[in-house]
Amino acid sequence: MASMRSLFSLLTILAAVRWVAAAPAGNGNGGNSGNNGNNGIDYGNGNGNGNSGSWANQWQPDPKGVVHYGYDSTFGAGFNNATQIRLAYRGCDGMSVSFSTNERLSQPAVKYGTINSSLNASATSSVSITYETSPKWENHVVLEGLQSDTTYYYQILDGPINSFKTARCAGDMTPYSAAVVVDLGTMGQYGLRQNLPPTIANPLPAGQLNTIQRLVAQIDDYDFVMHPGDIAYADYWAKEQITQGSNLTIQDQILGYNTINEAFFDEISVVSQQKAYMVGVGNYEANCINGNYGGYTEAICAAGLTNFTEYKARWNMPGDGSASNNFWYSFDVGMVHYLVFDTETDLPAPYHGADVPGGAEGMDETNVGSYSNAQVDFIKQDLASVDRSKTPWVVALGHRPWYVAATPSNLWGDGQAVFEPLFTEGNVDVVIQGHIHLLSRTYPVWQNGMIQQTNYTEPKAPVYLINGAAGHYDGLDSLPASYPDYVAFANNTIYSYSKLTFHNSTHLTHAFLASGDNHVIDEITIQKTH
């Protein structure tokens, strides 16, 4: 872990000069966001050729570009320019392009076009933000007015030219596949690897590809990736220290968290710079010490490492530009309507999101909705508005499950009480979750665990697919000796990802695929007339 110490020395040196490098928009008139004196930060309206409209409202940085979701503090130094690119669909005619830089940009810009030698269009914004203890700035630009189902080439700053393909519009019945990972953490020396301490179970088998490597190897097999929660596992810095997976100490919290986090986003960027990477929130995005590991509480967390701060700052999912933008939202791709829901915050009384006071995790994070029923009302309205003639399939994705091959203590009752009636009434076809680090497939199930039928032909209830086995440091859970009858398949021995294939309006195939060699672990086809 000597490289961690070297990195710490580099960060210390860079921190001394960051205040000079972090304010390039010093022209006295607010940079590229009008004459408001806000150092280039646009609070939502944009101007000129920028496009930071309502989607930009979610961050609300201070005049120095710092977002405050936890406590006030100084912040660290940065890495290389225009790294860790993350794409996200914005309808079938747009794409969000997010990327990290080592200094604040007065006007983040993306050049693009349909010919790689002629990038004659450009999009800009003034969203370049950071947070306390972050080693870099997060920049968000949205490309609009694109053609659907079309390959575009793009360039950020003077970096390499990459490409992406826009989504198919709702109503396009062309078959396609999507990849799903949940509970996917950092790989290699800062995460899941072959040589782990003896107290850590489930090392990566020798000679096998990990899940990120498999996503890269199969990148032509799927159109985009969905990752509903537990991203990077940066808060495992403490577990790695306590279990002697690293030589960090508790005093190295910021270094440890950032090193693991940066490693993950470097690794996944090979995928996320080519494919839309649609995320949801999990408990490991909440703070620096999820689950009070080792007896430490959230009180030890440094500024910026609480209240989902890193998650809020890094991502730009499609939404209304409110504080809940990355927590619950929906989007269409071809024949499918996707609903991303939030299990960690914002449930109506008497229930609680898992990570807020009163919730299952015993944490102190805060709700993000403007009122207590904000998420539930969104889901009701969203599902009621689905046009089944255009999007016959409806897939819901969230983090924490209530129907899974687990002991009763691991079945999330609050979520079942709130979400199950909504999904049943809304005729959701498939619910995809993780959190429990194994594979689990149910029969069509509803009404507090009642099996609606034991096959997948014309089901009336949702099928619950749990894939929490993408892998991270100490990445698989034990399978109980017995589990509920509604579980049709379970496995806890293989790191894996999921692939959803939509053949047409009546046939959908789901497969659990082994990350090591891509063999099919389990597969079903749902046949349903909508």
Side-chain angles (χ1 to χ4, degrees), residues 172-494:
D172 185 336
M173 298 296 171
T174 306
Y176 73 89
S177 296
V180 184
V181 292
V182 199
D183 303 278
L184 175 63
T186 304
M187 302 293 161
Q189 70 178 115
Y190 304 128
L192 178 63
R193 54 191 184 269
Q194 181 180 345
N195 299 312
L196 288 172
T199 56
I200 298 299
N202 314 130
L204 188 71
Q208 283 198 7
L209 297 185
N210 61 47
T211 301
I212 295 178
Q213 291 170 328
R214 178 56 60 188
L215 288 176
V216 174
Q218 308 302 136
I219 200 158
D220 293 330
D221 291 354
Y222 56 88
D223 282 18
F224 63 100
V225 179
M226 295 175 285
H227 188 160
D230 285 6
I231 305 165
Y233 283 81
D235 60 354
Y236 261 42
W237 65 271
K239 187 168 189 175
E240 293 193 31
Q241 178 265 323
I242 291 170
T243 59
Q244 300 181 351
S246 79
N247 64 353
L248 296 174
T249 69
I250 292 300
Q251 288 70 38
D252 291 321
Q253 173 191 150
I254 297 172
L255 170 63
Y257 186 100
N258 285 337
T259 298
I260 296 170
N261 208 46
E262 296 303 304
F264 175 83
F265 285 101
D266 285 343
E267 291 163 4
I268 203 64
S269 65
V270 181
V271 176
S272 63
Q273 68 189 12
Q274 301 180 64
K275 305 282 187 174
Y277 201 92
M278 313 302 290
V279 299
V281 70
N283 49 298
Y284 282 96
E285 283 71 72
N287 59 51
C288 83
I289 192 74
N290 177 268
N292 299 337
Y293 186 81
Y296 295 104
T297 69
E298 190 174 343
I300 74 167
C301 292
L305 300 186
T306 62
N307 210 24
F308 305 98
T309 296
E310 189 275 342
Y311 177 81
K312 293 173 181 176
R314 185 176 290 271
W315 297 102
N316 185 23
M317 294 296 106
D320 61 2
S322 69
S324 65
N325 202 92
N326 293 324
F327 287 73
W328 56 84
Y329 60 93
S330 65
F331 63 102
D332 296 331
V333 180
M335 67 184 87
V336 190
H337 179 78
Y338 298 92
L339 168 68
V340 176
F341 64 99
D342 170 18
T343 62
E344 307 309 299
T345 72
D346 290 87
L347 299 191
Y351 308 105
H352 302 88
D355 300 340
V356 301
E361 295 289 349
M363 296 188 199
D364 296 316
E365 316 322 308
T366 58
N367 291 321
V368 297
S370 58
Y371 62 101
S372 61
N373 272 34
Q375 178 177 199
V376 168
D377 286 351
F378 171 82
I379 293 173
K380 288 179 179 178
Q381 294 166 10
D382 182 76
L383 293 178
S385 68
V386 173
D387 183 348
R388 295 280 180 160
S389 69
K390 293 183 176 180
T391 54
W393 294 104
V394 176
V395 175
L397 302 103
H399 185 65
R400 187 177 301 261
W402 48 93
Y403 292 140
V404 60
T407 58
S409 63
N410 284 319
L411 306 180
W412 187 45
D414 279 11
Q416 180 184 352
V418 172
F419 294 116
E420 184 183 29
L422 299 174
F423 296 163
T424 300
E425 181 180 354
N427 195 21
V428 171
D429 299 297
V430 171
V431 181
I432 299 179
Q433 297 164 296
H435 187 66
I436 308 300
H437 302 144
L438 45 71
L439 306 179
S440 177
R441 167 175 56 82
T442 73
Y443 296 113
V445 60
W446 59 2
Q447 299 174 3
N448 298 314
M450 180 186 299
I451 298 172
Q452 184 262 316
Q453 62 186 56
T454 56
N455 61 67
Y456 300 93
T457 301
E458 302 296 343
K460 296 181 176 62
V463 176
Y464 288 79
L465 301 167
I466 312 303
N467 190 343
H472 61 282
Y473 185 86
D474 193 22
L476 292 171
D477 288 343
S478 298
L479 193 65
S482 62
Y483 40 78
D485 292 340
Y486 56 70
V487 175
F489 169 82
N491 178 282
N492 72 328
T493 64
I494 306 173

Side-chain angles (χ1 to χ4, degrees), residues 31-56:
N32 291 288
S33 52
N35 296 315
N36 58 10
N38 282 331
N39 288 332
I41 292 299
D42 186 335
Y43 287 87
N45 295 321
N47 77 305
N49 63 347
N51 62 0
S52 48
S54 62
W55 61 267

Side-chain angles (χ1 to χ4, degrees), residues 24-108:
N27 59 4
N29 64 355
N32 291 288
S33 52
N35 296 315
N36 58 10
N38 282 331
N39 288 332
I41 292 299
D42 186 335
Y43 287 87
N45 295 321
N47 77 305
N49 63 347
N51 62 0
S52 48
S54 62
W55 61 267
N57 291 336
Q58 61 189 290
W59 292 289
Q60 295 295 320
D62 68 18
K64 292 181 178 178
V66 183
V67 292
H68 300 279
Y69 306 126
Y71 309 97
D72 291 331
S73 180
T74 57
F75 47 88
F79 294 118
N80 295 328
N81 279 326
T83 59
Q84 303 175 355
I85 300 169
R86 288 97 55 201
L87 302 173
Y89 288 140
R90 191 156 290 264
C92 62
D93 61 353
M95 187 73 76
S96 173
V97 182
S98 301
F99 55 97
S100 304
T101 55
N102 70 325
E103 61 184 26
R104 185 181 181 187
L105 304 180
S106 61
Q107 190 178 66

Side-chain angles (χ1 to χ4, degrees), residues 113-234:
T114 56
I115 302 173
N116 63 0
S117 60
S118 181
L119 305 182
N120 52 14
S122 66
T124 64
S125 82
S126 48
V127 180
S128 185
I129 58 175
T130 192
Y131 59 90
E132 308 95 336
T133 68
S134 173
K136 71 248 180 278
W137 295 79
E138 304 302 343
N139 306 271
H140 303 282
V141 178
V142 173
L143 282 54
E144 298 174 319
L146 308 180
Q147 300 175 48
S148 64
D149 194 25
T150 299
T151 297
Y152 282 84
Y153 300 89
Y154 71 99
Q155 183 181 32
I156 303 169
L157 300 175
D158 293 322
I161 295 175
N162 296 303
S163 67
F164 62 76
K165 194 172 188 179
T166 49
R168 295 177 173 88
C169 290
D172 185 336
M173 298 296 171
T174 306
Y176 73 89
S177 296
V180 184
V181 292
V182 199
D183 303 278
L184 175 63
T186 304
M187 302 293 161
Q189 70 178 115
Y190 304 128
L192 178 63
R193 54 191 184 269
Q194 181 180 345
N195 299 312
L196 288 172
T199 56
I200 298 299
N202 314 130
L204 188 71
Q208 283 198 7
L209 297 185
N210 61 47
T211 301
I212 295 178
Q213 291 170 328
R214 178 56 60 188
L215 288 176
V216 174
Q218 308 302 136
I219 200 158
D220 293 330
D221 291 354
Y222 56 88
D223 282 18
F224 63 100
V225 179
M226 295 175 285
H227 188 160
D230 285 6
I231 305 165
Y233 283 81

